[in-house]
């Protein structure tokens, strides 16, 4: 039996070698064709939901943002009240085909405006900030051989003290660099040394197996954009296309903290986001794997309704989240927050707790609980 057949037989158990061989028996049996994969995209810095999903029919939007509001004629109309930023045009095919959902008024009860603390709350789904809090995805898969792969330096919701996860920048570089370590041997009885040698051998096994798996995948027919985000999506596509049974991937698109020059900074970020998701969708559709994937955006908070003196936006509260996938029921979910009834800071008041979205993913997508119905049943 070669290494590729070995991996097929054990699902992802080979990857679990990096943590503990004993978890092999707990590998999920789902194979390519029936997988339930989530790609989490962190919009780092606090995305402005108001200029993402635009309330173009509301006069309060234009009154609060005399220099930042998107002109009504430029809005990509989705309904009589809401539309997308024009830079999100690559997402229109997904919307028109009923595969794009917008969750409105998303926030948390904590009201935290610190980048570091707020994203930790979103990653762990817990307000009690502690260093040992596992990410919400790690909590969902405590016995999985590999809870997820971050094409990122930050595991975020994949982080766990007792679960297996992997952070890599590029799968090809990982396999090439790992296989170049060489085989180390020692007859020493030193337990620490033996552990190191064991891990090294396991990394070599993983690198070799992953390299074989990546040989046979169909090349992306639509090129991903250059830059870190495009490369991360390309790596994600390759790993999904390889047939690996990993429940979640996490990547980041940064620079959403637009305190100054909001219009010129926000536009290219949304364009990068939309084009990247569209390329991932198109490539996975071509190989029949789009129905196995949902893509979810999230951000530590939204932006304030009123623009500041620097033609920017300050830290706010409620925002929007995008969810798309072959099995997503497209449309609007939740309610758009009031633009006239604000909190004491001048921020939008959320009406959908972000944990509700996680719950839908856990129960309706991963089938880890009783299937939910109701206002957020988008899967």
């Amino acid at each position: 039996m070669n290494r590729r057949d070995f991996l097929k037989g054990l699902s992802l158990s080979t990857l679990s070698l990096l943590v503990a061989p004993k978890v092999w028996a707990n590998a999920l049996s789902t194979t390519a064709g029936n997988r339930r994969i989530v790609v989490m995209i962190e919009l780092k810095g606090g995305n402005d939901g108001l200029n993402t999903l635009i309330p173009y029919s509301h006069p309060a939007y234009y009154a609060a943002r005399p220099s930042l509001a998107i002109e009504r004629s430029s809005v990509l109309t989705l309904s009589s009240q809401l539309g997308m930023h024009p830079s999100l045009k690559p997402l229109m095919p997904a919307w028109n085909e009923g595969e794009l959902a917008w969750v409105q008024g998303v926030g948390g009860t904590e009201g935290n405006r610190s980048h570091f603390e707020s994203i930790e709350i979103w990653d762990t789904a817990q307000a009690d900030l502690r260093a040992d809090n596992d990410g919400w995805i790690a909590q969902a898969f405590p016995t999985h051989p590999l809870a997820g792969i971050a094409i990122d330096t930050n595991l975020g919701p994949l982080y766990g003290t007792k679960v297996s996860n992997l952070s890599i920048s590029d799968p090809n570089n990982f396999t090439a660099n790992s296989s170049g370590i060489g085989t180390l041997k020692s007859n020493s009885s030193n337990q620490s040394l033996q552990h190191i040698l064991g891990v090294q051998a396991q990394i070599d096994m993983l690198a070799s197996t992953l390299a074989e798996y990546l040989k046979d995948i169909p090349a992306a027919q639509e090129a991903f954009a250059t830059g870190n985000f495009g490369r991360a999506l390309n790596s994600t596509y390759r790993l999904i296309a390889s047939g690996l049974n990993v429940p979640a991937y996490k990547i980041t698109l940064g620079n959403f903290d637009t305190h100054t020059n909001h219009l010129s900074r926000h536009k290219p970020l949304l364009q990068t986001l939309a084009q990247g998701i569209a390329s991932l969708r198109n490539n996975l559709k071509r190989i029949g794997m789009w129905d196995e994937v949902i893509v979810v955006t999230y951000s530590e908070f939204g932006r304030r309704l009123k623009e500041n003196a620097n033609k920017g936006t300050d830290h706010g509260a409620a925002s929007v989240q995008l969810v798309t996938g072959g099995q997503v029921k497209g449309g609007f979910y939740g309610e758009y927050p009031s633009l006239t009834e604000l909190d004491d800071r001048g921020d939008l008041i959320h009406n959908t707790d972000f944990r509700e979205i996680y719950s839908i993913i856990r129960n309706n997508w991963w089938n880890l609980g009783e299937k939910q119905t109701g206002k957020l049943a988008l899967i």
Side-chain angles (χ1 to χ4, degrees):
M1 179 180 292
N2 63 32
R3 283 174 172 163
R4 183 175 176 82
D5 291 335
F6 178 67
L7 182 55
K8 282 183 177 178
L10 291 179
S11 184
L12 268 188
S13 59
T14 304
L15 299 185
S16 71
L17 287 165
L18 286 171
V19 177
K22 67 181 180 180
V23 300
W24 292 3
N26 296 319
L28 297 182
S29 59
T30 306
T31 56
N34 297 301
R35 295 170 301 171
R36 294 296 182 101
I37 299 167
V38 173
V39 179
M40 299 295 298
I41 301 178
E42 178 189 353
L43 307 182
K44 192 174 185 63
N47 178 47
D48 176 31
L50 286 152
N51 276 21
T52 301
L53 184 63
I54 303 163
Y56 70 88
S57 66
H58 206 305
Y61 166 70
Y62 293 95
R65 298 185 165 200
S67 64
L68 298 187
I70 304 300
E71 294 183 7
R72 184 167 181 165
S73 60
S74 299
V75 174
L76 300 173
T77 304
L78 304 182
S79 73
S80 60
Q81 297 180 319
L82 299 172
M84 296 192 303
H85 190 287
S87 290
L88 296 177
K89 187 175 181 180
L91 296 179
M92 284 301 296
W95 174 263
N96 292 333
E97 294 174 32
E99 296 179 354
L100 174 61
W102 286 104
V103 187
Q104 310 167 89
V106 183
T109 57
E110 295 76 20
N112 194 308
R113 301 297 187 275
S114 163
H115 289 292
F116 304 104
E117 293 181 357
S118 184
I119 197 60
E120 187 172 346
I121 293 171
W122 279 74
D123 282 340
T124 63
Q126 299 189 37
D128 180 17
L129 298 177
R130 301 197 317 269
D132 61 346
N133 278 346
D134 284 357
W136 71 272
I137 294 176
Q139 295 171 39
F141 294 97
T143 60
H144 196 286
L146 191 67
I149 299 177
I151 316 296
D152 202 334
T153 57
N154 180 15
L155 288 166
L158 307 180
Y159 170 80
T161 56
K162 298 180 180 179
V163 298
S164 179
N165 46 51
L166 187 63
S167 175
I168 59 176
S169 59
D170 179 88
N172 289 332
N173 289 341
F174 173 76
T175 56
N177 294 336
S178 299
S179 61
I181 294 175
T183 302
L184 303 175
K185 296 181 179 179
S186 174
N187 294 323
S188 171
S189 60
N190 183 287
Q191 292 184 353
S192 296
L193 176 59
Q194 289 302 319
H195 174 73
I196 293 172
L197 295 177
V199 170
Q200 186 275 321
Q202 293 155 10
I203 291 174
D204 178 64
M205 177 69 170
L206 166 59
S208 298
T209 305
L210 187 56
E212 290 187 32
Y213 237 69
L214 292 173
K215 284 180 182 178
D216 301 335
I217 65 172
Q221 295 298 304
E222 180 177 315
F224 288 91
T226 58
N228 292 336
F229 187 66
R231 286 192 291 270
L233 282 171
N234 186 36
S235 294
T236 302
Y237 162 76
R238 288 174 58 77
L239 289 164
I240 293 173
S242 74
L244 293 175
N245 180 27
V246 178
Y249 294 87
K250 187 258 182 182
I251 60 178
T252 296
L253 178 61
N255 299 315
F256 282 88
D257 198 19
T258 52
H259 289 281
T260 61
N261 302 319
H262 179 81
L263 279 182
S264 61
R265 295 172 62 189
H266 197 225
K267 177 181 177 180
L269 292 173
L270 293 183
Q271 187 172 20
T272 297
L273 174 69
Q275 188 57 63
I277 293 175
S279 294
L280 182 65
R281 175 178 182 265
N282 292 338
N283 283 313
L284 289 175
K285 269 181 169 290
R286 287 189 177 98
I287 59 175
M289 291 186 176
W290 179 237
D291 281 354
E292 300 177 74
V293 177
I294 62 172
V295 178
V296 182
T297 63
Y298 71 107
S299 195
E300 62 263 46
F301 40 64
R303 315 299 294 187
R304 190 152 295 166
L305 169 63
K306 187 176 181 180
E307 67 179 65
N308 63 29
N310 296 313
K311 295 186 177 182
T313 56
D314 296 324
H315 298 179
S319 190
V320 296
Q321 281 186 246
L322 172 162
V323 183
T324 185
Q327 296 193 52
V328 169
K329 301 171 186 175
F332 298 112
Y333 293 83
E335 298 179 10
Y336 209 93
S338 171
L339 302 188
T340 55
E341 297 179 10
L342 308 176
D343 67 14
D344 55 3
R345 302 186 190 188
D347 293 334
L348 304 180
I349 300 174
H350 81 278
N351 51 58
T352 300
D353 193 288
F354 69 92
R355 299 169 186 84
E356 296 180 60
I357 301 172
Y358 296 169
S359 182
I360 289 291
I361 294 172
R362 283 177 54 98
N363 297 336
N364 293 21
W365 183 242
W366 284 326
N367 297 316
L368 297 176
E370 184 177 351
K371 192 175 180 68
Q372 295 180 228
T373 59
K375 69 174 186 177
L376 294 185
L378 49 82
I379 305 170

